[in-house]
């Protein structure tokens, strides 16, 4: 049973890997965008670590200076107690001074270590930011190249005589035929209307002349009869 589950698991993983490979081949820009988002997330985590390390450095610095001040203060108090012949107070102040000196040395070492770590984190963070910026610029370049490739592909597809063809005639040929037919129809309509108008004009003129001609003939007849 265990072997069966292991085989099923390996089969599913293999299918998943194949699917991811196909996705990368189909749309590499989308894969690159996903990778950049992951890099941005990691860079943001490092930025937060840098801020945290900076706060730690400030805390170590504050504690170090505080320990140094208390050490100096106890040293002065021990000297005052010694001059006053207060042996117990002198020993207590001296013991406190030694403790604060030891603490200040430890804090100084921690401060130096925190400062070095902060510098390393800042260098790494700056390197990550520059790398991320370069990758974003590279993505823009790849997107531009992909856009040009897609544009050329679509233009070639449109300009190809066989791309949108039905039989041997493509869409452009169909459009040209339609425009030619439309122009012929408009021209025919224009000439037909023009001819109709001219014929109507000739008919009106002919009718007017026919009306005038009988009047002239009547006048001539009257003149001859006189």
């Amino acid at each position: 049973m265990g072997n069966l589950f292991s085989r099923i698991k390996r089969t599913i993983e293999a299918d998943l890997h194949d699917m991811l490979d196909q996705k990368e081949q189909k749309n590499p820009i989308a894969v690159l965008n996903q990778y950049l988002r992951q890099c941005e997330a990691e860079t943001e985590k490092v930025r937060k670590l840098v801020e945290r390390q900076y706060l730690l450095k400030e805390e170590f610095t504050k504690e170090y200076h505080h320990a140094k001040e208390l050490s100096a203060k106890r040293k002065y108090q021990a000297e005052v107690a010694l001059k006053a012949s207060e042996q117990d107070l002198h020993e207590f102040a001296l013991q406190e001074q030694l403790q604060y000196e030891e603490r200040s040395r430890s804090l100084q070492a921690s401060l130096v270590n925190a400062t070095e770590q902060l510098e390393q984190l800042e260098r790494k963070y700056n390197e990550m930011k520059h790398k991320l910026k370069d990758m974003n610029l590279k993505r823009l370049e790849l997107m531009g190249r992909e856009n040009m490739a897609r544009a050329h592909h679509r233009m070639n597809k449109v300009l190809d005589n066989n791309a949108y063809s039905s039989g041997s005639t493509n869409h452009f040929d169909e459009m040209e035929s339609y425009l030619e037919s439309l122009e012929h129809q408009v021209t025919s309509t224009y000439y037909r209307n023009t001819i109709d108008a001219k014929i109507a004009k000739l008919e009106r003129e002919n009718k007017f002349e026919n009306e005038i001609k009988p009047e002239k003939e009547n006048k001539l007849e009257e003149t001859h009869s006189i």
Side-chain angles (χ1 to χ4, degrees), residues 35-92:
Y35 177 70
L36 284 175
R37 283 192 293 269
Q38 295 175 354
C39 292
E40 289 172 353
E42 293 299 323
T43 303
E44 180 63 18
K45 291 179 182 178
V46 174
R47 184 189 67 81
K48 292 180 179 179
L49 290 175
V50 171
E51 291 182 352
R52 182 182 179 186
Q53 190 68 21
Y54 184 78
L55 293 176
L56 288 173
K57 177 186 174 183
E58 286 188 336
E59 191 67 23
F60 280 129
T61 302
K62 183 177 68 174
E63 292 294 336
Y64 169 73
H65 288 299
H66 184 60
K68 291 285 291 183
E69 291 175 359
L70 290 177
S71 176
K73 181 179 179 180
R74 291 295 186 263
K75 181 180 180 181
Y76 170 75
Q77 291 174 343
E79 292 174 354
V80 171
L82 181 62
K83 290 179 181 180
S85 299
E86 294 287 342
Q87 189 63 30
D88 293 340
L89 187 59
H90 168 72
E91 291 179 357
F92 178 79

Side-chain angles (χ1 to χ4, degrees), residues 141-177:
E141 178 185 348
L142 292 176
M143 289 175 65
R145 290 167 59 185
E146 182 193 35
N147 187 61
M148 288 299 298
R150 290 180 180 273
H152 283 299
H153 174 71
R154 292 185 179 276
M155 287 187 291
N156 291 335
K157 190 175 181 180
V158 171
L159 296 175
D160 186 5
N161 290 332
N162 297 322
Y164 293 99
S165 63
S166 174
S168 60
T169 306
N170 59 23
H171 283 300
F172 287 117
D173 293 336
E174 293 177 358
M175 183 60 69
E176 290 177 358
S177 298

Side-chain angles (χ1 to χ4, degrees), residues 9-226:
K9 180 181 178 182
R10 287 194 297 269
T11 302
I12 294 175
E13 288 178 350
D15 292 340
L16 180 60
H17 290 161
D18 291 340
M19 182 180 67
L20 292 176
D21 291 339
Q22 292 176 5
K23 182 178 180 182
E24 290 179 1
Q25 294 176 1
K26 184 177 181 180
N27 193 351
I29 299 297
V31 178
L32 178 59
N33 289 337
Q34 178 65 24
Y35 177 70
L36 284 175
R37 283 192 293 269
Q38 295 175 354
C39 292
E40 289 172 353
E42 293 299 323
T43 303
E44 180 63 18
K45 291 179 182 178
V46 174
R47 184 189 67 81
K48 292 180 179 179
L49 290 175
V50 171
E51 291 182 352
R52 182 182 179 186
Q53 190 68 21
Y54 184 78
L55 293 176
L56 288 173
K57 177 186 174 183
E58 286 188 336
E59 191 67 23
F60 280 129
T61 302
K62 183 177 68 174
E63 292 294 336
Y64 169 73
H65 288 299
H66 184 60
K68 291 285 291 183
E69 291 175 359
L70 290 177
S71 176
K73 181 179 179 180
R74 291 295 186 263
K75 181 180 180 181
Y76 170 75
Q77 291 174 343
E79 292 174 354
V80 171
L82 181 62
K83 290 179 181 180
S85 299
E86 294 287 342
Q87 189 63 30
D88 293 340
L89 187 59
H90 168 72
E91 291 179 357
F92 178 79
L94 187 61
Q95 185 179 3
E96 286 274 302
Q97 176 195 353
L98 294 176
Q99 289 178 348
Y100 283 125
E101 285 181 354
E102 179 65 24
R103 182 178 299 175
S104 65
R105 284 193 294 270
S106 177
L107 288 170
Q108 185 179 23
S110 297
L111 177 59
V112 171
N113 188 34
T115 302
E116 292 176 352
Q117 291 175 348
L118 177 61
E119 291 175 353
Q120 292 176 2
L121 285 174
E122 287 178 336
R123 285 196 298 269
K124 289 294 183 182
Y125 177 60
N126 287 329
E127 289 177 5
M128 292 179 71
K129 287 196 301 182
H130 287 299
K131 186 65 176 179
L132 187 61
K133 183 66 175 179
D134 292 339
M135 286 192 296
N136 274 293
L137 294 175
K138 186 66 176 179
R139 177 182 63 172
L140 293 177
E141 178 185 348
L142 292 176
M143 289 175 65
R145 290 167 59 185
E146 182 193 35
N147 187 61
M148 288 299 298
R150 290 180 180 273
H152 283 299
H153 174 71
R154 292 185 179 276
M155 287 187 291
N156 291 335
K157 190 175 181 180
V158 171
L159 296 175
D160 186 5
N161 290 332
N162 297 322
Y164 293 99
S165 63
S166 174
S168 60
T169 306
N170 59 23
H171 283 300
F172 287 117
D173 293 336
E174 293 177 358
M175 183 60 69
E176 290 177 358
S177 298
Y178 171 75
L179 291 176
E180 290 177 358
S181 175
L182 185 61
E183 290 175 353
H184 177 71
Q185 182 179 355
V186 171
T187 303
S188 299
T189 303
Y190 170 76
Y191 281 114
R192 184 171 60 251
N193 293 336
T194 302
I195 292 173
D196 291 342
K198 289 182 177 180
I199 295 298
K201 182 179 179 182
L202 291 175
E203 289 178 346
R204 288 195 300 271
E205 292 177 351
N206 188 34
K207 181 178 180 182
F208 180 72
E209 290 178 355
N210 291 334
E211 291 177 353
I212 294 177
K213 187 175 181 180
E215 292 181 359
K216 290 183 177 180
E217 291 177 351
N218 293 333
K219 288 181 180 181
L220 289 175
E221 291 177 356
E222 292 176 356
T223 303
H224 288 302
S225 61
I226 295 172

